[in-house]
Amino acid sequence: CLLAPLVARSRARRTFTSSMSSHLQYLWAKMESKTALVILLPILLRYLIVPSPFSGEGNYHGSKTAYGGDYEAQRHWMEITQHLPISQWYKYDLSYWGLDYPPLTAYGSYLMGWASDILVGKESVALLDSRGFEDPVHKVFMRSTVIFWDAVIYFPAMYLICKRLYQGSHDKMLKHWLFAMLSPAMILVDNGHFQYNNVCLGLALSAFHFMTLRNGIGFYDAIGSILFCLALNWKQMGLYYAP
């Protein structure tokens, strides 16, 4: 009889603990599903643009010296970095979309050219013979490379910024992150017209994040400096963000 209240209290505690655990699991699952939806939405929107025309498609610009526009320029850089030694990357046939972005872009083009050779076919990056190459599969590949760099560089960088600005409010953080990811200007220029500006922007944002963290020995400052140097080495436009 003396133990009955203790047993009842113990059972009540276990029931409460079990109920709280189930509730927390439900909230966690709900939060995770919301986060997943917020992440997937910008990616799906970008993929909706895949079939749309790109810069210079069908040689729209009608240039007599170089076919197409920025899309062909980026493809051509994949072509030359795949077949020429590094010493020739910035010297080869400058009249036809000569490589004029910093070295990190060139190495990025090399990696994407390697992937295009495997996934699309050698004809997509064949030296000289691939000039003006246009193919539906290749278009999907090229559009996907922009989305890949967005997901690897730009998305996480903006997440760091939003998480820091809206501490204590997961929903508000997700909302502002989503607004940034759905910026029409970003999507139209990088995913529509065809560019990789968000790589430079993502690296610069990451640099600013680390440079403004407090630490006594300058470790985060060093990381920020490295990231900003990478931003500049992807695209000289990154210098605009310096002030």
Side-chain angles (χ1 to χ4, degrees):
C1 293
L2 293 174
L3 294 176
L6 294 176
V7 171
R9 192 176 301 169
S10 177
R11 286 176 180 172
R13 187 181 295 115
R14 284 199 299 268
T15 302
F16 174 77
T17 303
S18 177
S19 175
M20 283 299 297
S21 177
S22 299
H23 185 62
L24 289 172
Q25 287 177 0
Y26 168 77
L27 290 177
W28 176 255
K30 187 176 180 180
M31 185 177 70
E32 286 298 296
S33 62
K34 184 188 296 184
T35 302
L37 180 62
V38 167
I39 293 173
L40 284 175
L41 186 59
I43 294 175
L44 291 174
L45 179 60
R46 283 161 168 77
Y47 267 109
L48 289 176
I49 297 176
V50 167
S52 64
F54 51 78
S55 168
E57 184 171 353
N59 201 27
Y60 174 78
H61 297 307
S63 172
K64 295 181 180 179
T65 58
Y67 183 95
D70 283 341
Y71 179 96
E72 169 62 10
Q74 298 286 350
R75 188 216 57 79
H76 178 61
W77 296 348
M78 298 177 198
E79 167 196 341
I80 62 177
T81 54
Q82 279 297 294
H83 296 283
L84 299 175
I86 295 176
S87 60
Q88 293 299 310
W89 287 0
Y90 287 92
K91 299 177 182 178
Y92 179 77
D93 195 2
L94 300 181
S95 64
Y96 190 90
W97 301 119
L99 181 53
D100 56 2
Y101 281 4
L104 192 57
T105 287
Y107 287 115
S109 296
Y110 174 83
L111 291 175
M112 290 183 285
W114 172 80
S116 183
D117 186 288
I118 295 173
L119 298 175
V120 182
K122 295 183 181 299
E123 66 275 10
S124 65
V125 287
L127 190 63
L128 289 176
D129 293 340
S130 65
R131 290 189 175 186
F133 180 82
E134 291 182 359
D135 177 83
V137 174
H138 185 251
K139 181 193 279 190
V140 173
F141 168 78
M142 292 287 279
R143 299 285 200 201
S144 297
T145 61
V146 180
I147 297 170
F148 168 79
W149 288 115
D150 276 357
V152 171
I153 304 292
Y154 182 57
F155 285 17
M158 187 57 73
Y159 176 83
L160 286 175
I161 299 295
C162 290
K163 185 177 181 181
R164 188 171 169 189
L165 290 174
Y166 303 101
Q167 294 179 17
S169 178
H170 185 72
D171 286 351
K172 187 177 288 188
M173 183 275 292
L174 283 180
K175 180 179 72 175
H176 285 83
W177 182 87
L178 182 61
F179 284 161
M181 295 306 100
L182 297 180
S183 168
M186 297 291 186
I187 295 174
L188 288 173
V189 173
D190 272 26
N191 302 94
H193 171 80
F194 202 85
Q195 280 285 347
Y196 296 100
N197 294 309
N198 281 348
V199 178
C200 176
L201 179 57
L203 289 169
L205 286 172
S206 298
F208 301 153
H209 168 72
F210 282 101
M211 284 180 179
T212 53
L213 290 177
R214 293 182 179 180
N215 70 101
I217 58 174
F219 176 71
Y220 291 133
D221 291 336
I223 294 177
S225 297
I226 292 170
L227 288 169
F228 193 68
C229 286
L230 291 174
L232 288 175
N233 274 277
W234 181 269
K235 202 165 188 178
Q236 53 269 54
M237 183 185 75
L239 193 59
Y240 299 159
Y241 309 135

